[in-house]
Amino acid sequence: VQLQASGGGLVQAGGSLRLSCAASGGTFSNYYMGWFRQAPGKEREFVAVISWSGGMTDYADSVKARFTISRDNAKNTVYLQMNNLKPEDTAVYYCAASRYTTRRAMAYEYWGQGTLVTVSS
């Protein structure tokens, strides 16, 4: 499975962005899809995950109520809608695919290349 993330950019605090992750080369609907992020000098951290059908989602406490993960299996794409962005959300955001619902990065088999989100104060 190949994953291609897009949609990052520069936004002011309080603004919004929507990230997309397009999958190819596999059966997209077989996988849980997650978003992770890595800020400069920090470890990669879990952001959100969504189940095969989209019926189950899980979020890190730091983004709950601000970010929404969704997917369109017909388009082989997962999204991350980010609202009320804060400077501490600045990071490279990665999408990833796993056969399991998990927050652990090591359980994800496939990773996209990352897209940079910069939030200015």
Side-chain angles (χ1 to χ4, degrees), residues 32-103:
Y32 290 83
M33 296 299 298
W35 286 97
F36 290 77
R37 66 186 182 186
Q38 188 166 18
K42 294 188 176 181
E43 293 186 354
R44 191 170 298 190
E45 65 174 0
F46 167 78
V47 175
V49 62
I50 188 167
S51 63
W52 310 313
S53 67
M56 185 284 294
T57 57
D58 184 30
Y59 297 91
D61 287 345
S62 59
V63 306
K64 200 171 292 185
R66 298 188 298 122
F67 291 10
T68 302
I69 188 170
S70 61
R71 66 190 295 164
D72 184 339
N73 287 342
K75 295 182 178 180
N76 288 351
T77 302
V78 62
Y79 304 97
L80 186 69
Q81 177 66 44
M82 306 185 295
N83 298 329
N84 190 21
L85 282 160
K86 304 176 180 180
E88 51 264 43
D89 294 319
T90 295
V92 177
Y93 283 72
Y94 299 89
C95 58
S98 173
R99 297 182 187 273
Y100 312 100
T101 178
T102 177
R103 294 185 172 199

